[in-house]
Amino acid sequence: HIDEIGKTPEAPPTAVDLSYEARMRSSFNSAQGLQGPLDGAWTLRAGGAELYDLQLVDSGSGNLEGAWRDPRRRGATDASGFIDTISRVGGQLIIRLTPRPGAEPSILMLNADSNGTWSGELTERGERRSVTMRRN
């Protein structure tokens, strides 16, 4: 800070510092380039209501994993968990998750849209509703 008398600012980065930073950025960009198109945070909505927040891991090798959080039950100890199964067949994505211990699984069947979103149907507690999944 300017009012700290007796301290000098750091020296400009050295060639070694700049080289190290460039290698780190390159490694990060390479790792990101290996990720599949579903990797990242997504929000599932029905109409204007947010139903689930999803964090998907798409390693690019075909294996998908993920976790979910139910914002409708904030503060509940069982309002989040791991996704049971995710399968992708062509342009269709099927996600199965168990929203509460011992409850019937919720099944999400989505189709890829041309604008990068996914739309389809969520079957939850025997009810079907139209949903859209968008990247955060």
Side-chain angles (χ1 to χ4, degrees), residues 6-136:
K7 291 192 175 198
T8 58
E10 290 184 23
T14 65
V16 171
D17 293 336
L18 293 172
S19 175
Y20 175 77
E21 184 174 340
R23 283 193 318 269
M24 291 299 290
R25 288 183 187 275
S26 176
S27 294
F28 175 80
N29 290 333
S30 293
Q32 286 298 102
L34 295 174
Q35 301 303 313
L38 288 169
D39 195 71
W42 296 82
T43 301
L44 184 72
R45 294 181 182 272
E50 186 177 339
L51 302 178
Y52 289 101
D53 292 320
L54 303 173
Q55 183 69 40
L56 302 180
V57 177
D58 183 355
S59 63
S61 65
N63 293 333
L64 296 166
E65 300 177 325
W68 59 270
R69 184 178 66 85
D70 186 345
R72 300 167 291 180
R73 300 188 297 133
R74 292 194 193 280
T77 57
D78 62 349
S80 63
F82 293 107
I83 293 173
D84 300 335
T85 60
I86 307 175
S87 59
R88 178 177 38 195
V89 179
Q92 187 174 49
L93 185 66
I94 302 167
I95 299 174
R96 176 188 161 134
L97 59 93
T98 305
R100 288 187 171 91
E104 186 178 316
S106 296
I107 309 292
L108 186 56
M109 298 184 75
L110 300 168
N111 293 299
D113 294 336
S114 60
N115 60 0
T117 63
W118 294 76
S119 60
E121 222 173 52
L122 171 67
T123 304
E124 190 173 48
R125 293 184 305 272
E127 293 180 27
R128 289 183 177 182
R129 49 171 39 166
S130 294
V131 293
T132 303
M133 185 173 81
R134 288 190 169 87
R135 185 174 295 281
N136 287 350

